[in-house]
Amino acid sequence: PLLYGDDRERHARVYRNFDWLVGHGQSPSGLYFGIVRQDGTSIGDGFEHPGTRHWHLSRKSSDGLYFIARQLMLMRERGLREPDPRWTASARRCADALADIWRRSGQWGQMQDDRTGDVVVGGSTSASMAPGALAVMSVLLEEPSYLDVACE
């Protein structure tokens, strides 16, 4: 990640990306939008096919959450700065959404509705990184319920 090394400009880019993500990149369900236009609107992961406007590819939030959590941890571990509480709250919202989807559906599926988190296309390993993301979030936030879901 760009947080390795001592280049302060790189670090500033990471922080700006987190600010953008919190302001524009998170759906009502807590999942991260997969595709966001320059104007800040999401088009969904259904490639604008009719009826897919709010489809979310589960891999994007599970992979994204893992790397977000690792970067937040790296900020602390390297003493770069304390993560902005908005960044941590955003990661928590995504972790809560993934845990909720698992508890309700027993799977993450391939696609979810980005407004509700409901699985709309199931039977997939697309979110295979979700348990890892939840395990890392469990450590980052000292929240054992995330690890419980990850281990199910």
Side-chain angles (χ1 to χ4, degrees), residues 11-89:
H11 298 174
R13 286 185 192 129
V14 171
Y15 307 148
R16 283 193 306 270
N17 280 331
F18 273 109
D19 285 337
W20 182 91
L21 180 68
V22 169
H24 304 286
Q26 201 157 24
S27 73
S29 67
L31 300 169
Y32 292 112
F33 289 124
I35 302 171
V36 180
R37 291 187 173 135
Q38 218 170 6
D39 67 4
T41 60
S42 169
I43 63 170
D45 288 324
F47 302 100
E48 300 190 74
H49 291 294
T52 65
R53 165 82 174 76
H54 294 283
W55 283 21
H56 169 73
L57 182 63
S58 60
R59 178 178 180 176
K60 292 181 178 181
S61 282
S62 57
D63 288 4
L65 181 61
Y66 175 82
F67 289 105
I68 288 166
R70 287 298 299 135
Q71 292 212 35
L72 294 174
M73 293 171 92
L74 191 59
M75 286 177 205
R76 288 181 179 160
E77 291 166 5
R78 297 205 59 231
L80 299 175
R81 68 174 283 178
E82 188 61 28
D84 185 311
R86 296 172 308 131
W87 306 342
T88 305

Side-chain angles (χ1 to χ4, degrees), residues 104-122:
R104 286 187 291 129
S105 304
Q107 66 169 324
W108 287 288
Q110 181 183 18
M111 299 280 188
Q112 300 110 2
D113 184 303
D114 67 20
R115 299 164 297 186
T116 63
D118 292 340
V119 174
V120 294
V121 178

